[in-house]
Amino acid sequence: MNDEIRIPVSLPLDSDGFLRRECPTCEREFKWFSHEEGDADAEVVDQYFCPLCGVASSTDSWWTPAQLEYMNGVSGPAIDQYMQDSIEDMFKGVKGMKFKSNKSFTFGIETPDALVEPDDMMIAESPCHPHEPVKVPDETTKVHCLVCGSAFAI
Ligand SMILES: [Zn+2]
Ligand SMILES: [Zn+2]
């Protein structure tokens, strides 16, 4: 029972296919384009540069507080189900024993409301990596390329 539980959580994209992100350095929000899995245009990198402050961080450090909270929330029912299945498996095949599962079993983690992604911010395409556009707040005048960090004016 030491298996790692992996729970796929899908986060909403806006209507242009952008995902909201928060920079761990300047704590400002922007969006990056979410490529389909296996998209040949997607850059394979191990870090991204913040479009707003230009500081790089590893690819998995850009969650917004709302996304983290949401992911914690949605994993609750999945963990309940996992425990339920594991207990059922343990009792399966035990002679003379019948396990009746308790469908109301729960750790009591509440499922959060689905996240909603509004269509805000404006698209900025870097001249050096045009396949990795970002969305930045409307008042932004200088943007750093997500992939290589070079600055360009918009
Ligand atoms: Zn930043
Ligand atoms: Zn670039």
Side-chain angles (χ1 to χ4, degrees):
M1 285 256 303
N2 287 325
D3 311 301
E4 195 180 335
I5 315 178
R6 284 186 179 277
I7 300 154
V9 176
S10 53
L11 293 168
L13 306 176
D14 71 14
S15 58
D16 295 317
F18 285 77
L19 178 67
R20 184 174 295 271
R21 312 270 56 190
E22 184 182 291
C23 171
T25 305
C26 67
E27 297 186 347
R28 280 179 289 176
E29 290 189 349
F30 66 96
K31 297 182 187 182
W32 69 38
F33 184 70
S34 178
H35 289 277
E36 304 264 335
E37 199 145 341
D39 186 340
D41 282 344
E43 293 285 339
V44 181
V45 292
D46 52 18
Q47 63 175 18
Y48 285 114
F49 291 86
C50 172
L52 302 172
C53 70
V55 177
S57 286
S58 65
T59 52
D60 59 358
S61 53
W62 301 89
W63 306 108
T64 70
Q67 287 167 342
L68 288 174
E69 195 182 312
Y70 178 72
M71 290 190 291
N72 278 331
V74 286
S75 54
I79 292 169
D80 285 347
Q81 187 60 49
Y82 176 84
M83 292 302 294
Q84 186 91 38
D85 293 348
S86 308
I87 294 166
E88 246 174 74
D89 279 354
M90 262 166 20
F91 281 92
K92 222 178 270 166
V94 178
K95 258 207 163 81
M97 227 179 148
K98 246 189 152 176
F99 176 68
K100 210 171 156 298
S101 61
N102 173 9
K103 290 292 174 215
S104 63
F105 172 81
T106 175
F107 284 114
I109 306 169
E110 262 176 61
T111 313
D113 294 337
L115 287 180
V116 178
E117 187 51 59
D119 286 329
D120 56 351
M121 305 196 194
M122 58 174 177
I123 297 180
E125 235 171 57
S126 69
C128 45
H129 290 93
H131 292 311
E132 298 289 346
V134 292
K135 277 194 180 184
V136 292
D138 295 335
E139 64 276 9
T140 312
T141 52
K142 193 181 85 173
V143 178
H144 295 268
C145 173
L146 191 66
V147 180
C148 66
S150 42
F152 60 98
I154 50 170

